[in-house]
Amino acid sequence: MLPVFYPAQAQQLQSVNDATGARSWSTTHAGVYFSLTQIRPEQGDAFYVNRGFSLEQIRPFTASCVYMTVLRNDSAAGVVHFVRDNWSISVEGEARAFKTVEQWVKQLAAAEASKSALIAFRWAQFPPEQEYEPGGDWNQGMLSLGLPAGQVFDITARWDLGGQNFEATLTGVECAN
Amino acid sequence: MQTKPPGRALQILLLCLLWASATQAQDLPPLTHKLTPIKTPSVAPELIFENMDEETVDLKDYRGKVVVVNFWATWCPPCRREMGSMERLYQATRDSKVEILAVNIGEDLDTVFSFLGTVEPSPTFPLLFDTDAVSMKKWKVKGLPTTYIVDTEGRLAYRAIGGREFDHPAIREAITALGR
């Protein structure tokens, strides 16, 4: 298959939710939309305490710089496939690792979270791997970046399509305080 | 007399309500309206769960009908948003051999029952309970919501990953065409 050339990544957009103050960053590249929206620790606490976690169990996660993450195949040339472990973050140009969903589930299970709470946690996360058909397949889920409150960072989402690799980067993203 | 500050539980509840209403009002990704045809239709995996009346429901018993199998949870924002459109689809296609089975993942009857009052229109189609999330692997579901359309022969015909506007004309036509 011959490589297809696409225009450069679209300009990064930012917005603030009037009601919650949560900030969002988004961009589009090669027909794929990518966005992050801050989830403040108290918002995360509220969500997970209602799912059966204690504050002590869930605080390590909710205080780890969590985002509502969206990836959507609006109009790519075919099926988009991603593995979240191929995504990367950097702080002042230095690469940082972040935990997988599986690692979080193990940690929460070790903290004796209930089975139903763990099921909710697992399926509320942004998928570790997925395929999106063009025309609107998408997911919305939580992504923990393991950074302190207020930390500014860059994040690059990566995906492949028909053997060609793509990436979209959001720069200057800030962890909620 | 000093006023007692609100308890932690109340603070959490208020935050939850604020977050839910705020995220519904702003910054929500649009629900889309395209179903992906499955190129090589295979027989749908097993699906046997209890409904809200604690009766066992088996997908196999729906042969001859088009079945929308939706995997969802009350805490999943796009799942909540698409639920009303599924009920409108259900009402519009009841005479067209179309059935909907919405499989809740990991929650109990009380939680789902409380949620139903918040959906407009409230679902009247069968809601099933996969309390251990065992269907996710069988149906290759990697994120919620995910929806499959099963044809009258019990084969997977379409798939949709992420929230959809199920009463959109394009989706309604694709589903009802399977039943003709």
Side-chain angles (χ1 to χ4, degrees):
Chain A
M1 183 178 167
L2 288 172
V4 180
F5 294 97
Y6 294 89
Q9 177 182 322
Q11 188 182 1
Q12 178 173 314
L13 302 175
Q14 288 187 44
S15 62
V16 179
N17 185 301
D18 297 334
T20 64
R23 296 169 66 189
S24 296
W25 292 260
S26 66
T27 189
T28 301
H29 180 50
V32 174
Y33 171 86
F34 173 45
S35 77
L36 296 181
T37 299
Q38 293 174 331
I39 298 175
R40 293 204 320 270
E42 312 87 79
Q43 292 174 315
D45 291 344
F47 178 86
Y48 284 109
V49 166
N50 275 283
R51 310 275 87 77
F53 286 95
S54 68
L55 275 176
E56 292 71 27
Q57 287 168 333
I58 203 62
R59 243 314 152 99
F61 175 80
T62 57
S64 69
C65 187
V66 179
Y67 288 86
M68 183 183 83
T69 305
V70 172
L71 196 72
R72 188 177 65 236
N73 184 350
D74 287 328
S75 55
V79 178
V80 161
H81 167 257
F82 75 84
V83 177
R84 207 225 61 178
D85 285 355
N86 294 334
W87 296 16
S88 60
I89 55 172
S90 64
V91 175
E92 294 173 351
E94 187 181 317
R96 297 286 182 92
F98 53 112
K99 278 185 190 172
T100 64
V101 173
E102 196 176 316
Q103 286 170 327
W104 275 116
V105 169
K106 275 186 187 165
Q107 180 173 326
L108 293 167
E112 298 183 346
S114 69
K115 187 176 178 183
S116 62
L118 288 172
I119 289 174
F121 178 88
R122 163 62 187 86
W123 293 102
Q125 305 310 300
F126 192 73
E129 184 176 7
Q130 186 62 283
E131 284 188 354
Y132 298 133
E133 293 276 348
D137 270 355
W138 65 294
N139 281 121
Q140 170 181 336
M142 294 190 193
L143 184 65
S144 153
L145 299 182
L147 297 171
Q151 181 69 65
V152 176
F153 65 95
D154 300 338
I155 180 168
T156 300
R158 295 186 174 85
W159 64 92
D160 59 273
L161 190 168
Q164 198 171 352
N165 295 322
F166 295 84
E167 62 182 43
T169 299
L170 295 172
T171 57
V173 183
E174 190 177 332
C175 298
N177 278 304
Chain B
M1 193 177 104
Q2 234 181 355
T3 309
K4 197 178 172 186
R8 184 74 181 164
L10 180 60
Q11 287 177 23
I12 285 172
L13 177 65
L14 290 172
L15 269 168
C16 214
L17 290 171
L18 174 66
W19 189 35
S21 60
T23 53
Q24 276 170 13
Q26 199 179 344
D27 297 339
L28 289 174
L31 296 178
T32 54
H33 29 78
K34 187 187 168 204
L35 299 174
T36 299
I38 293 175
K39 285 167 191 139
T40 48
S42 57
V43 174
E46 179 185 86
L47 191 85
I48 307 172
F49 294 110
E50 287 189 350
N51 63 15
M52 293 195 75
D53 297 321
E54 299 180 345
E55 298 161 341
T56 300
V57 173
D58 187 342
L59 175 63
K60 271 199 309 193
D61 296 336
Y62 288 81
R63 286 285 164 90
K65 289 189 172 186
V66 178
V67 187
V68 178
V69 178
N70 172 254
F71 297 94
W72 72 288
T74 65
W75 43 259
C76 154
C79 304
R80 293 200 302 263
R81 290 166 59 208
E82 70 180 4
M83 194 59 85
S85 75
M86 265 194 291
E87 175 61 17
R88 288 190 292 275
L89 170 74
Y90 187 55
Q91 295 298 337
T93 57
R94 289 194 86 164
D95 301 329
S96 313
K97 293 196 289 185
V98 176
E99 190 58 78
I100 297 176
L101 300 176
V103 183
N104 177 274
I105 300 302
E107 297 180 288
D108 60 26
L109 199 148
D110 289 345
T111 305
V112 171
F113 189 76
S114 303
F115 162 75
L116 293 181
T118 69
V119 183
E120 183 56 43
S122 192
T124 58
F125 48 79
L127 301 173
L128 311 185
F129 291 83
D130 178 5
T131 49
D132 294 327
V134 294
S135 56
M136 306 300 262
K137 195 172 179 185
K138 282 183 190 168
W139 284 73
K140 297 180 181 170
V141 174
K142 294 177 180 171
L144 297 179
T146 293
T147 304
Y148 286 91
I149 314 299
V150 180
D151 69 16
T152 55
E153 304 293 318
R155 294 170 306 198
L156 301 174
Y158 291 100
R159 186 186 72 171
I161 296 173
R164 294 296 192 275
E165 204 67 67
F166 277 99
D167 57 340
H168 187 278
I171 290 185
R172 200 163 71 183
E173 171 55 26
I175 290 173
T176 51
L178 285 174
R180 288 181 200 132

